[in-house]
Amino acid sequence: MWVVSLRVESGPSEGREFAFEEHDTFLVGRSSACNIRLSSKDRQASRHHFLLEVSPPLVRVRDLGSGNGTYVNGERIGRRQKHEEAGDTAQHPLPQIDLTDGDTIRAGETVLVVEVRARCSECGSDFATGADTVTLDASGLRCRACRERADREGTIIVESCSRRACRVCGSDLTSDLGDPTRTSDEECERCRSATGDSADGVRPRVERALGDRYKLGPELGRGGMGVVYQAVRQTDRRELALKAILPSIAVTERARKRFQREVEALRRIEHPNCVGMLDHGSSGSLLFLALELCRGGDLERFVSRNGGKLDIARAAPLMLQALDGVASIHERGHVHRDIKPSNLLLSADGASGELKVGDFGLAKCLDSAGLTGLTVTKGGGAGTPAFMAKEQLVNFKGVKPASDVWSLGATFYHMLTGEHPRRPPSGASDPILAVLAGTLVPIREREPLVPEAVGTVIDQALAPKPENRPRDAGELRAVLRRALGD
């Protein structure tokens, strides 16, 4: 198990320490919404100064267009120019940099020190990474003392921390002691030399990993978590959608088992408006889900094919079906965390197709198994910024059904107007700054033809504070039905 710690070395919060064992985000600035709040008297500090994304052992810092820049080990990254207003720097890419053990970050008077440690799965002690770190096949990491005791007792150590595995077939790539983060962006020579019909060679790697269990058809789409193919399950010739997930982090046996346990819990959710999960498994470092095939494609494409937005008569049945599906997820204690038009699928072409919610809980499954990687700063994965509630950045681990309500509201808003609910600050285009500092535009300002009662419900779903929204999809469904006159 990996642990990332942030120690505040100087500034108003001096002495505080924050530990991360799972994927999380961490905001630093003068705003009251920040996880570390900088002094309002610090002239070098900005309202939203920088964002840290952590997915142990990976850490990344992203300057948010601060007035004076963020300093990493004394070197400045970011800083808006004198002629730019706050937010204007987001019109060009915001700088970000990956961090490692011992790096320092400075924003104004505040200095943080990054520590990356391994936690022994036996004695629970934290220790520095290095050549003496050992990973057990299913148990995690061992410190030197526990490893030496295991050696004396004859316990077999299955794999060293420096072992590097092919991300496709899982074969050993070890040639010398390597980077302890063990990223999975490597393939063996056999997998690397494979060719196929996709430009990046993903398809042949997936086919090699799956063997003869599934026969892949055309690619249906791809996103931050993987690639989806139409496929045929060879055992019963059933047509389905096969989602191939190539994690950003190397897949250990322990991570694989945890992912499969999490997915198995989701598999038990059965509802006409949720995409059915037929099978799941893994091969090497590839994870896959066999899903119900939705031939109508996703809602984003459907809206695009129909002029970029829908009138209320066409949108309302789809909105209610989405709420039925998400309500069933909330009733079972799960949060989707990535609701957006591309994750709402149609069972058939045209408006007659039944709408089904896809990818529910997948982000959490990957997070729990430690396989997410740095998705927020990368721009994919757990929540697409345009459809993401603000608390998904500032309270990542505390996300509740009300966050899905915001995403549903943003999705309905987009269906009816062809636009996103937030107006970015100062004309900025950076999606993260839009989440943190954008202004919500009432839906009827964008599309006056939306019925007033429906507009009120959608604006309420998009309330900045979770407590001011319907608490879950079931409650939002009830108020929307009343607004539509049932």
Side-chain angles (χ1 to χ4, degrees):
M1 179 178 182
W2 298 98
V3 180
V4 171
S5 296
L6 299 175
R7 187 179 73 254
V8 185
E9 198 168 68
S10 63
S13 300
E14 181 177 351
R16 295 186 69 185
E17 188 167 332
F18 305 86
F20 303 87
E21 298 177 0
E22 297 179 350
H23 187 203
D24 208 345
T25 58
F26 198 78
L27 187 64
V28 177
R30 290 187 290 104
S31 168
S32 60
C34 292
N35 303 99
I36 290 184
R37 191 173 182 183
L38 305 181
S39 172
S40 59
K41 298 179 181 179
D42 188 348
R43 294 181 178 274
Q44 303 296 309
S46 295
R47 179 174 171 78
H48 300 115
H49 202 105
F50 67 81
L51 177 76
L52 278 169
E53 185 179 7
V54 181
S55 183
L58 307 179
V59 194
R60 179 175 294 158
V61 60
R62 179 170 183 161
D63 183 81
L64 295 174
S66 60
N68 294 282
T70 300
Y71 288 78
V72 176
N73 300 328
E75 297 289 330
R76 183 165 58 196
I77 65 168
R79 182 189 186 185
R80 62 178 181 266
Q81 303 302 310
K82 292 182 179 180
H83 66 278
E84 293 178 316
E85 297 181 3
D88 286 348
T89 48
Q91 294 177 7
H92 44 78
L94 293 179
Q96 56 191 29
I97 188 170
D98 293 333
L99 305 173
T100 189
D101 185 46
D103 284 345
T104 61
I105 316 165
R106 180 169 69 83
E109 301 169 355
T110 296
V111 176
L112 292 85
V113 178
V114 177
E115 293 183 349
V116 182
R117 295 288 185 267
R119 177 163 294 169
C120 180
S121 59
E122 290 198 15
C123 69
S125 63
D126 291 354
F127 57 98
T129 59
D132 59 344
T133 304
V134 172
T135 299
L136 296 180
D137 183 40
S139 300
L141 302 167
R142 273 188 182 175
C143 65
R144 176 181 289 181
C146 290
R147 183 190 66 181
E148 290 176 348
R149 184 176 65 252
D151 287 344
R152 290 193 300 271
E153 296 171 355
T155 303
I156 298 175
I157 295 173
V158 178
E159 58 172 323
S160 71
C161 176
S162 59
R163 177 183 183 272
R164 307 186 75 90
C166 173
R167 66 182 292 177
V168 178
C169 67
S171 62
D172 196 349
L173 300 177
T174 305
S175 58
D176 55 13
L177 292 176
D179 180 354
T181 61
R182 302 194 320 137
T183 57
S184 62
D185 295 331
E186 299 181 0
E187 298 89 31
C188 64
E189 184 61 33
R190 181 183 179 189
C191 293
R192 188 166 53 245
S193 62
T195 58
D197 58 2
S198 59
D200 58 5
V202 171
R203 182 189 181 94
R205 295 200 293 271
V206 173
E207 288 179 324
R208 188 177 299 278
L210 294 175
D212 58 3
R213 189 170 178 179
Y214 294 90
K215 182 175 179 59
L216 295 188
E219 180 178 317
L220 300 178
R222 61 175 63 204
M225 292 184 185
V227 186
V228 182
Y229 300 95
Q230 188 169 327
V232 175
R233 186 166 57 187
Q234 297 294 69
T235 54
D236 58 4
R237 307 301 298 171
R238 176 166 180 171
E239 286 192 301
L240 46 79
L242 192 136
K243 188 177 188 75
I245 304 167
L246 296 170
S248 301
I249 306 296
V251 180
T252 65
E253 185 63 21
R254 182 170 182 248
R256 188 193 331 275
K257 289 182 177 179
R258 187 164 186 179
F259 176 81
Q260 290 174 345
R261 284 198 303 272
E262 295 277 346
V263 168
E264 193 58 37
L266 293 174
R267 189 177 179 180
R268 292 193 287 271
I269 296 177
E270 296 183 1
H271 189 275
N273 296 115
C274 289
V275 174
M277 187 182 302
L278 309 174
D279 191 13
H280 63 89
S282 61
S283 179
S285 285
L286 178 138
L287 309 169
F288 70 87
L289 305 174
L291 306 166
E292 177 184 1
L293 180 62
C294 295
R295 298 183 183 276
D298 61 53
L299 183 62
E300 183 175 30
R301 295 179 185 176
F302 176 77
V303 173
S304 178
R305 290 196 304 266
N306 286 273
K309 61 182 180 180
L310 304 179
D311 60 34
I312 191 65
R314 302 186 75 188
L318 298 172
M319 293 158 65
L320 290 172
Q321 288 182 78
L323 287 167
D324 284 345
V326 179
S328 73
I329 297 168
H330 289 172
E331 287 165 4
R332 290 164 175 80
H334 298 283
V335 180
H336 190 295
R337 302 208 310 173
D338 195 19
I339 294 170
K340 54 189 176 183
S342 60
N343 277 341
L344 302 178
L345 308 176
L346 295 169
S347 61
D349 290 330
S352 61
E354 191 172 40
L355 185 141
K356 295 176 179 285
V357 179
D359 271 3
F360 49 89
L362 180 55
K364 183 64 168 66
C365 290
L366 291 167
D367 273 353
S368 297
L371 299 173
T372 306
L374 300 170
T375 57
V376 175
T377 48
K378 183 180 178 182
T384 301
F387 301 96
M388 180 191 293
K390 184 176 179 179
E391 66 265 20
Q392 286 186 256
L393 279 180
V394 300
N395 187 20
F396 189 88
K397 290 194 292 185
V399 169
K400 295 181 178 179
S403 298
D404 282 348
V405 167
W406 199 98
S407 300
L408 286 161
T411 297
F412 300 159
Y413 188 112
H414 188 62
M415 287 170 61
L416 293 167
T417 69
E419 308 218 30
H420 299 303
R422 296 185 181 104
R423 180 181 291 124
S426 302
S429 60
D430 183 86
I432 289 180
L433 270 184
V435 174
L436 293 172
T439 303
L440 289 168
V441 180
I443 188 169
R444 281 167 52 83
E445 285 188 22
R446 291 265 174 82
E447 180 48 77
L449 294 179
V450 173
E452 183 176 357
V454 174
T456 299
V457 170
I458 292 176
D459 288 342
Q460 183 184 0
L462 294 169
K465 294 183 178 180
E467 59 268 27
N468 293 333
R469 304 172 203 148
R471 61 185 175 184
D472 56 25
E475 188 171 306
L476 178 57
R477 175 181 56 192
V479 294
L480 180 61
R481 280 179 173 165
R482 286 196 295 271
L484 291 166
D486 291 325

